[in-house]
Amino acid sequence: MSRIRTRVRPDVETPVATYGAAHRYENRLLLILFLAFGFVFFDRQALPFLAPYISKDFHLSNTELGTLSGVLALTWALSGLVAGRLSDKLGKRKPILIAAVVLFSCFSAAGGLMTGFLGLLVARALMGVAEGAVLPLAQSMMVEASRESRRGLNMGLLQGSSAGLMGGILAPLIVVWIAELHGWRTALLLTIVPGLLIAAWIAKSVREAPPGGRVQVAAADALPETTAGPKPSVREVLGHRNIILCMAAACCYLTWFIVIVTFTPTYLLTIKGFSPSTMSAVMTCLGVGWVLWGFLTPAVSDRIGRKPTMIAFSATAALCPLAMVYVSDPVVLGLVVVLTYTGLGCFTLFMATIPAETVPHGALATALGLVMGIGELAGGFLAPVIAGRASDVWGLQTAMFISAGGAVAVVLLSFGLRETAPRVLRRRAERATAAVGSGAVAAGAAE
């Protein structure tokens, strides 16, 4: 009997090959987007660290410095709202993401060419417009390329750890070093280089859809999605309780974050009496905690659920600003800060993972843009103004209490969340099925 030989067509991928390609692409996409969003925060944080050098040249007041920070948060918020909805309508994210990375790099560098406050204000406002588009687009692409078992971890690394590493640890070391050697203008001008390189990498290596197609992530109660017809409206997206609660959590958590990073350096120097080097060491501990909890918190949520993680880690985060007030020893304070600066890991959950597991694919970037945009408007733009005014009236420790109050409010809001973690929902379904089966067996025995 003759032997029959079979050949696999080279242009047809086997399931195993597709599976391997999807995993390789997932890791590559995570690295690219990690660097992209990391440099967003690197550029955003560069100005506060360069403020002493800029103020000497431009004679900026504290109010003007605060305005430079606030205008970026304002335009960032508005951009996130618009960019998310636009990408969902067009069905394209890659070209918008490339344009956003190129533009925020150019506007960041443009700050080094300005000759006064108004020029810096315009550059920061335009920079916020470009940067605000990056997160909703990056997270929506990441969630569709992520395996279920790594979804929370991937999104935590992208949003939490990248911002902590690049903006919380590397930015103060690099931009201050360059400013000392070559001036603050050179430090800002050089920020264009990594952004352009990352934009080129995105253009070459990122796909609009991952190999094997997009991973379906919406929960069972999400809006029905069809391949044709209009995309879900903003009103339909807001019909989900989780989206409303995540928007409220964003307002409160941005208050916690922006207030603590804005007022802690001044508080430690003027109220606690720390030296500049000691203050810098404590702030570095914030960066270490940012990186650590940025990926650990979402990874834990993959196992125990999004809701209990939000409750437990937000309650822990409320202790961090209180430690600034009540812990006197700088070494102990640094340790406590690392252990309690857990809120940045929760950012990934309410800004990305929970919304992504709640709404359908067609509304994904819209939902992420809404949560981020509303949170930046309230917590990034209004909260530091209110906290600053309250501190002028009742003392700088008031800002620390306002920060803690934001985290406590998130704890209360989190009790209303509907669980979305796939592993937890699957365990619940298995237990329910087992309980029904046991009940049926018991009923049969009784008959």
Side-chain angles (χ1 to χ4, degrees):
M1 185 173 60
S2 61
R3 179 179 298 174
I4 299 175
R5 296 187 178 185
T6 60
R7 297 176 62 188
V8 178
R9 287 174 53 192
D11 59 331
V12 177
E13 291 188 353
T14 64
V16 174
T18 302
Y19 187 75
H23 284 193
R24 289 191 297 273
Y25 179 75
E26 176 186 1
N27 293 328
R28 182 170 70 249
L29 181 66
L30 175 61
L31 176 60
I32 294 172
L33 297 181
F34 180 98
L35 293 174
F37 190 68
F39 274 107
V40 165
F41 256 82
F42 185 98
D43 289 357
R44 182 173 183 171
Q45 296 294 95
L47 185 72
F49 296 122
L50 294 174
Y53 305 92
I54 299 173
S55 295
K56 291 179 181 179
D57 287 354
F58 293 168
H59 307 290
L60 299 179
S61 66
N62 289 327
T63 300
E64 288 172 329
L65 288 174
T67 303
L68 290 173
S69 177
V71 73
L72 186 145
L74 175 62
T75 55
W76 176 307
L78 298 176
S79 172
L81 291 170
V82 174
R85 187 60 179 165
L86 177 63
S87 71
D88 280 339
K89 280 185 172 293
L90 297 177
K92 299 287 185 181
R93 288 166 296 188
K94 179 179 174 179
I96 302 176
L97 180 61
I98 293 172
V101 173
V102 170
L103 289 174
F104 85 65
S105 302
C106 292
F107 293 137
S108 176
L113 302 175
M114 299 305 164
T115 58
F117 169 72
L118 289 180
L120 275 177
L121 188 69
V122 172
R124 295 290 286 181
L126 293 174
M127 185 174 142
V129 171
E131 289 186 337
V134 174
L135 183 60
L137 299 177
Q139 285 288 36
S140 61
M141 297 176 83
M142 190 71 250
V143 71
E144 291 174 352
S146 297
R147 285 164 282 172
E148 176 188 299
S149 60
R150 278 188 47 181
R151 187 181 304 150
L153 174 62
N154 287 349
M155 300 178 85
L157 286 168
L158 192 165
Q159 182 172 348
S161 295
S162 66
L165 176 63
M166 309 295 285
I169 296 178
L170 295 182
L173 297 176
I174 294 174
V175 299
V176 172
W177 174 67
I178 296 175
E180 286 287 340
L181 293 178
H182 305 289
W184 66 267
R185 293 184 182 277
T186 302
L188 286 179
L189 288 170
L190 289 177
T191 59
I192 193 174
V193 176
L196 295 182
L197 293 176
I198 291 171
W201 197 5
I202 293 173
K204 179 181 178 181
S205 302
V206 172
R207 305 182 182 188
E208 193 64 52
R214 296 183 171 99
V215 177
Q216 297 299 314
V217 297
D221 64 338
L223 295 168
E225 181 178 7
T226 59
T227 56
K231 299 291 185 180
S233 67
V234 173
R235 177 177 294 182
E236 289 174 310
V237 172
L238 294 176
H240 289 281
R241 185 173 73 188
N242 273 4
I243 300 301
I244 297 297
L245 289 172
C246 285
M247 289 168 60
C251 296
C252 298
Y253 242 141
L254 262 295
T255 297
W256 171 84
F257 170 62
I258 296 296
V259 170
I260 196 172
V261 299
T262 299
F263 294 101
T264 293
T266 303
Y267 183 82
L268 295 180
L269 287 172
T270 61
I271 305 300
K272 305 286 280 190
F274 288 0
S275 67
S277 60
T278 302
M279 178 274 293
S280 178
V282 173
M283 295 303 294
T284 300
C285 289
L286 286 177
V288 172
W290 193 345
V291 173
L292 177 66
W293 297 111
F295 72 88
L296 283 181
T297 304
V300 170
S301 78
D302 283 337
R303 296 182 175 276
I304 70 172
R306 317 300 186 204
K307 180 176 178 177
T309 301
M310 283 287 294
I311 293 171
F313 284 78
S314 299
T316 304
L319 300 176
C320 188
L322 296 179
M324 300 294 182
V325 177
Y326 294 110
V327 177
S328 301
D329 185 88
V331 175
V332 177
L333 178 59
L335 178 61
V336 172
V337 162
V338 171
L339 295 177
T340 60
Y341 201 54
T342 55
L344 274 300
C346 295
F347 271 51
T348 303
L349 300 182
F350 68 78
M351 274 194 176
T353 309
I354 295 174
E357 293 171 339
T358 299
V359 302
H361 162 69
L364 182 53
T366 297
L368 301 187
L370 281 170
V371 174
M372 185 195 73
I374 297 300
E376 284 282 356
L377 280 174
F381 180 60
L382 295 177
V385 176
I386 296 171
R389 178 58 181 167
S391 297
D392 287 338
V393 176
W394 295 298
L396 199 52
Q397 72 276 4
T398 307
M400 300 296 109
F401 295 132
I402 291 175
S403 175
V408 171
V410 175
V411 174
L412 300 178
L413 290 168
S414 297
F415 280 102
L417 289 170
R418 290 175 177 170
E419 184 57 64
T420 62
R423 183 180 298 184
V424 175
L425 295 178
R426 191 161 49 247
R427 286 201 301 263
R428 290 180 182 177
E430 291 171 353
R431 286 197 296 265
T433 301
V436 170
S438 299
V441 171
E447 293 177 358

